[in-house]
């Protein structure tokens, strides 16, 4: 699949705590922005890959007057779904099933259904969650994923200050991004450490934002991109993976053998490169530890070394591997990771102003979802 598909258009709405608009309207706005970016009419879309939560393919078709779609699919990988959707779109294009595939996420994640309501519908293993975990207060990702963080602290000595380095780095990046929810809102280590507990060891600033907004991406073949004069960003590799015991965390034998551990080698092998060849990464930072965790799972750090890497400035702009120059889910906004793909494309096009990664030609985009599903895409300009 290497370089047989490329991203030709991206679009994103404003990010807020209360959009005042329906999720259908948000999806239309982001799609229209992606179409304008690619200089395409809506009728060019003949494939649609929506998020499992939110507007459907049919909603988009009706809104834009699209008479038919040759390809539709829905990935069920939670927060890994956006990267998995990009992979599905690329497979459809490479296999001749569609010419232009739209994938998008639209949500009123702050003013509408909150995270506890969303996961109750979408997460696997609900029979176990409802009867065995909910009675003990373990009913949101903060509680479930905190187990992984605490285990990492126990085995490798990871500290709250190292988690704080992730939070502060994402905030500094967001302070360079006028579109970020946390733009111009500073954060100090003292404020981070003094914040209220959410699910020990996670405190307030360890947790991602809840956001209203939408993001959309258009995928086509390189030949199609050349024909319409679009600026392509190539999908060099993309893969998904699932952990052992895919519907559970607490009884997993190896907490750190996740879907991303399996997906990353597949994606890098497809792209013909390794972690050392990546200029920056867009990491699914639903919680601070998940940046450390996924850097290790994807091979950017050895297991147990992620804490020191982030604390030493490795993920900052100017560091060895800049992570989430936009501010990420922690400080830009949470659109299920689709905004990470949008930022990756804009960075590779060199259009990010003060937060631009100089000379970037390749990035990795990770996805983390459900109880350890993982996905990785390698994007490049070559």
């Amino acid at each position: 699949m290497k370089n047989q598909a490329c991203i030709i258009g991206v679009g994103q709405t404003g990010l807020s705590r209360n959009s005042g608009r329906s999720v259908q309207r948000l999806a239309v706005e982001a799609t229209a922005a992606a179409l304008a970016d690619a200089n395409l009419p809506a009728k060019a879309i003949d494939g649609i890959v929506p998020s499992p939560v939110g507007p459907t393919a049919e909603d988009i078709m009706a809104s834009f007057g699209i008479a038919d779609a040759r390809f539709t699919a829905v990935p069920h990988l939670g927060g890994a779904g956006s990267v998995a959707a990009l992979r599905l779109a690329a497979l459809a294009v490479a296999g001749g099933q569609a010419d232009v595939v739209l994938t998008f996420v639209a949500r009123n994640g702050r003013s509408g259904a909150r995270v506890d309501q969303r996961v109750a519908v979408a997460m696997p293993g609900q029979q176990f969650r409802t009867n065995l975990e909910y009675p003990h207060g373990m009913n949101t990702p903060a509680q479930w994923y905190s187990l992984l963080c605490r285990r990492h602290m126990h085995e490798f000595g990871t500290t709250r200050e190292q988690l704080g380095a992730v939070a502060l780095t994402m905030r500094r990046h967001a302070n360079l991004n006028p579109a970020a929810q946390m733009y111009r809102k500073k954060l100090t280590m003292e404020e981070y450490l003094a914040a209220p507990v959410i699910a020990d060891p996670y405190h307030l600033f360890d947790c991602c934002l809840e956001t209203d907004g939408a993001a959309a991406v258009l995928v086509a073949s390189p030949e199609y991109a050349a024909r319409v004069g679009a600026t392509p960003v190539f999908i060099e590799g993309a893969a998904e993976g699932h952990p052992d015991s895919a519907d559970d965390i607490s009884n997993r034998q190896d907490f750190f053998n996740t879907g991303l551990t399996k997906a990353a080698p597949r994606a890098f092998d497809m792209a013909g490169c390794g972690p050392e060849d990546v200029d920056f990464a867009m990491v699914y930072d639903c919680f601070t530890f998940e940046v450390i965790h996924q850097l290790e799972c994807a091979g950017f750090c050895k297991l147990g070394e992620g804490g020191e890497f982030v604390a030493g400035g490795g993920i900052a702009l100017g560091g060895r591997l800049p992570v989430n120059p936009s501010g990420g889910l922690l400080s830009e906004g949470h659109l299920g990771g689709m905004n990470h793909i949008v930022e990756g494309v804009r960075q590779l096009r060199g259009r990010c102003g003060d937060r631009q990664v100089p000379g970037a030609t390749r990035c990795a985009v990770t996805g983390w979802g459900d109880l350890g599903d993982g996905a990785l895409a390698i994007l490049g300009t070559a």
Side-chain angles (χ1 to χ4, degrees), residues 7-19:
I7 297 170
I8 61 171
V10 294
Q12 189 168 300
T13 68
L15 308 176
S16 70
R17 291 166 60 90
N18 189 346
S19 69

Side-chain angles (χ1 to χ4, degrees), residues 36-353:
D37 184 46
N39 195 28
L40 286 180
K43 66 180 181 181
I45 297 172
D46 60 351
I48 304 175
V49 183
S51 167
V53 179
T56 66
E58 288 79 7
D59 289 328
I60 291 295
M61 293 169 65
S63 296
F64 283 96
I66 299 171
D68 192 16
R70 294 195 289 149
F71 177 83
T72 63
V74 180
H76 290 274
L77 284 86
S82 290
V83 176
L86 184 68
R87 174 175 175 265
L88 285 172
L91 287 169
V93 167
Q97 298 300 304
D99 292 324
V100 179
V101 180
L102 164 72
T103 180
F104 67 93
V105 169
R107 64 200 310 180
N108 279 326
R110 180 62 177 81
S111 65
R114 304 296 291 277
V115 63
D116 60 332
Q117 297 168 298
R118 296 196 300 271
V119 299
V121 175
M123 293 286 278
Q126 283 303 305
Q127 67 273 32
F128 307 117
R129 311 279 89 75
T130 302
N131 294 304
L132 298 177
E133 294 183 352
Y134 283 22
H136 297 280
M138 293 182 62
N139 59 354
T140 69
Q143 283 98 4
W144 301 325
Y145 298 166
S146 68
L147 301 176
L148 302 174
C149 182
R150 178 56 73 188
R151 182 63 172 264
H152 200 273
M153 289 177 152
H154 173 74
E155 290 196 21
F156 305 111
T158 309
T159 67
R160 282 207 63 221
E161 286 77 11
Q162 291 172 342
L163 301 181
V166 175
L168 268 62
T169 302
M170 296 305 100
R171 185 62 62 89
R172 286 194 292 268
H173 291 176
N175 290 163
L176 300 174
N177 179 7
Q181 285 183 267
M182 296 292 107
Y183 181 57
R184 292 180 175 169
K185 297 180 180 179
K186 306 296 183 181
L187 179 64
T188 67
M189 182 62 78
E190 292 73 21
E191 290 170 326
Y192 166 82
L193 292 171
V197 176
I198 302 299
D200 185 69
Y202 288 148
H203 290 231
L204 178 63
F205 298 115
D206 291 300
C207 305
C208 61
L209 299 170
E210 293 188 278
T211 305
D212 288 10
V217 173
L218 294 171
V219 177
S221 67
E223 294 77 16
Y224 190 98
R227 191 162 66 247
V228 301
T231 303
V233 167
F234 295 93
I235 301 169
E236 298 183 353
E240 69 175 59
H242 303 263
D244 301 338
S245 183
D247 66 346
D248 188 25
I249 286 179
S250 57
N251 292 304
R252 192 171 294 158
Q253 289 189 351
D254 184 351
F255 272 24
F256 306 118
N257 182 12
T258 70
L260 185 58
T261 312
K262 302 170 183 178
R266 298 168 187 162
F268 281 120
D269 183 62
M270 187 183 301
C273 67
E276 68 280 1
D277 300 309
V278 170
D279 297 312
F280 69 99
M282 302 302 300
V283 177
Y284 194 90
D285 53 327
C286 47
F287 300 96
T288 51
F289 170 68
E290 276 312 314
V291 172
I292 295 170
H293 190 188
Q294 290 172 65
L295 288 173
E296 295 178 355
C297 289
F300 294 108
C301 297
K302 293 181 180 179
L303 183 62
E305 296 182 358
E308 292 183 3
F309 183 76
V310 302
I315 63 172
L317 286 167
R320 196 179 92 197
L321 181 73
V323 169
N324 300 349
S326 60
L329 309 184
L330 286 164
S331 282
E332 182 199 23
H334 193 335
L335 297 180
M338 192 62 72
N339 49 324
H340 280 19
I341 299 172
V342 171
E343 175 73 8
V345 170
R346 289 174 174 169
Q347 285 282 342
L348 291 171
R349 290 175 173 176
R351 299 177 182 176
C352 290

